[in-house]
Amino acid sequence: MPTATTQAALDTTGAQPLAEASQPARLISLDVFRGLTVAAMILVNNPGDWGHIYAPLEHAKWHGCTPTDLIFPFFLFIVGVSISYALSAARQQPATHGAAMWRVLRRAAVLFGLGLLMALYPKYEFDTVRIPGVLARISWVFLACGILFLKISRRQQIGLLIGLLVGYNVLLQLVPVPGFGPANLEPETNLGAWLDRAVFTEAHLWKQSRTWDPEGLLGTLPAIATGLLGMLVGQYLRRRELEPAVRVVQLFVVATGLIVGGLIWNLWFPINKSLWTSSYVLYTGGLATAALALLYWLCDVRGRRGWWTSFGQVYGVNAITVFFLSGIVAKTLNAVHVGEGVPLKAWLYNTFFTPYFSPVNASLAGALVCVLIWFGVLWGMYRRNIIVKV
């Protein structure tokens, strides 16, 4: 389990602690980017009413991409960038690779365990617990990218990235699906869904379907590619021989190429978050690169700071902590009943929001208040320099 510390500590994604923000090797922009991304996760995961949500705050039904579909790949991209900073010293010293890989393995195992705990809580029904999930995928990507960063060169990382994207396209669109016939991209009959049912059985998959899972096994391969993209961008940002303005311009050029490449690939391999298609990796990776380049220019190069950077840093330094705890608290509020069996969460929502707003605005207001409440909790931790590490 995580432990709290008031000393310099590593975030779960591997970044350096906030206390070292003044050092040249640290990116304030990365803290801000991580924090804004996690705050967006909290926002879309905690609407007041799941039946009334603004369209941009929902996932695409299948093919396509909404703003909500950008959040998870942005976080995995950030994981990759963080790895390129946190493990750079160990990478240069082969004698320390064993110890570094052990740390990576341990963090990945704790992340996976926290995800399993979230899925089990509060009923602890082991026979039907969902095994894949957001934290599980983060753990797999973190483990794979951490080891790859230590053991293969930048050129090999690029080659592997291309191989994963092309190979995944081939698997989903050319390999027949056992029991169903030709390859296809339908939710329940694609190759990834078949593999998840074969490995986990339907009892341990996403409860909304039990026949496929948006964080399934096969989709982890292109998710690793998203982490690799972040690693490559992080390594580029560390090239101190280039002027910051040059780095920013070149990153925007790369971002544009990735976005255009993703849109072109989308013509035959559609952008799809649940399948984590290769076109989705390029498209979201390009947007993440552009976002980080912009934040890097504003925060680290120009020194522009304000309430929004403070907000991002407060969320970013304890990103996994707030994601985990917000999920546990939400489940607790649904498990505790008041009055005639009404869940506490529903009672709070119907008491403080529904009488004062339209249904969709009440739902949004509930989500925003949730984000602000957690900001208050994290601000208290931040003021005390409390960072929860794995």
Side-chain angles (χ1 to χ4, degrees):
M1 291 296 294
T3 57
T5 180
T6 57
Q7 301 174 353
L10 291 177
D11 181 75
T12 304
T13 56
Q16 298 175 44
L18 187 62
E20 299 174 10
S22 61
Q23 295 184 8
R26 182 170 183 81
L27 293 182
I28 297 297
S29 53
L30 188 59
D31 281 335
V32 174
F33 192 15
R34 185 191 301 111
L36 295 177
T37 300
V38 172
M41 279 187 182
I42 304 300
L43 180 71
V44 301
N45 286 345
N46 295 277
D49 178 3
W50 284 100
H52 297 91
I53 306 174
Y54 280 106
L57 300 181
E58 290 191 274
H59 290 291
K61 298 301 181 184
W62 190 240
H63 296 322
C65 186
T66 72
T68 298
D69 292 317
L70 300 177
I71 296 172
F72 197 11
F74 276 19
F75 194 85
L76 292 184
F77 177 90
I78 292 165
V79 168
V81 177
S82 300
I83 286 172
S84 70
Y85 277 78
L87 296 180
S88 60
R91 184 182 183 184
Q92 304 302 321
Q93 303 175 24
T96 67
H97 284 187
M101 285 194 288
W102 170 249
R103 292 195 300 272
V104 168
L105 177 60
R106 184 180 65 83
R107 288 179 182 145
V110 173
L111 279 170
F112 184 85
L114 290 174
L116 197 60
L117 178 59
M118 281 186 67
L120 284 167
Y121 183 82
K123 297 182 178 180
Y124 297 95
E125 296 172 340
F126 288 88
D127 291 341
T128 58
V129 62
R130 182 190 180 198
I131 297 176
V134 171
L135 286 175
R137 175 159 287 183
I138 293 172
S139 72
W140 296 333
V141 171
F142 178 71
L143 176 62
C145 288
I147 293 173
L148 291 171
F149 182 76
L150 290 169
K151 289 300 183 182
I152 67 175
S153 68
R154 179 173 166 274
R155 183 183 297 273
Q156 290 171 324
Q157 291 169 25
I158 295 173
L160 179 59
L161 169 63
I162 295 171
L164 285 172
L165 297 182
V166 174
Y168 186 63
N169 191 165
V170 170
L171 284 174
L172 281 196
Q173 292 197 301
L174 295 181
V175 176
V177 183
F180 291 97
N184 67 90
L185 301 179
E186 297 304 311
E188 298 183 354
T189 58
N190 68 80
L191 187 64
W194 169 83
L195 179 63
D196 289 335
R197 291 193 297 271
V199 174
F200 298 121
T201 74
E202 294 182 3
H204 296 289
L205 298 179
W206 190 42
K207 67 179 181 180
Q208 278 81 351
S209 71
R210 295 298 188 189
T211 55
W212 61 277
D213 200 292
E215 278 77 51
L217 282 176
L218 198 59
T220 302
L221 295 177
I224 291 171
T226 296
L228 284 170
L229 267 178
M231 278 170 42
L232 291 167
V233 169
Q235 291 170 78
Y236 181 78
L237 282 174
R238 291 181 59 84
R239 294 181 59 183
R240 299 300 175 184
E241 72 274 13
L242 297 177
E243 291 295 323
V246 174
R247 277 179 274 168
V248 170
V249 169
Q250 292 185 352
L251 281 177
F252 273 116
V253 171
V254 170
T256 302
L258 290 172
I259 293 169
V260 172
L263 292 173
I264 293 173
W265 208 336
N266 170 68
L267 297 176
W268 68 90
F269 195 27
I271 291 172
N272 186 303
K273 185 262 181 189
S274 295
L275 293 174
W276 213 279
T277 53
S278 304
S279 56
Y280 176 72
V281 172
L282 293 186
Y283 180 70
T284 58
L287 291 174
T289 301
L292 181 58
L294 177 60
L295 288 171
Y296 172 72
W297 177 254
L298 292 175
C299 300
D300 295 287
V301 179
R302 304 296 294 175
R304 301 287 176 85
R305 310 289 166 80
W307 66 266
W308 59 278
T309 54
S310 297
F311 180 88
Q313 285 181 292
V314 167
Y315 257 97
V317 76
N318 276 305
I320 293 295
T321 303
V322 69
F323 177 77
F324 175 77
L325 291 180
S326 66
I328 294 295
V329 169
K331 288 191 170 189
T332 301
L333 292 177
N334 278 319
V336 175
H337 291 74
V338 297
E340 299 179 358
V342 178
L344 179 56
K345 181 179 179 181
W347 181 85
L348 291 170
Y349 178 66
N350 291 329
T351 301
F352 296 104
F353 296 97
T354 55
Y356 308 106
F357 302 93
S358 67
V360 70
N361 285 330
S363 183
L364 176 60
L368 289 171
V369 167
C370 182
V371 171
L372 292 175
I373 288 173
W374 281 111
F375 174 76
V377 173
L378 295 173
W379 175 253
M381 296 173 64
Y382 171 78
R383 289 289 299 272
R384 294 168 177 80
N385 198 25
I386 297 174
I387 301 172
V388 178
K389 66 174 183 177
V390 175

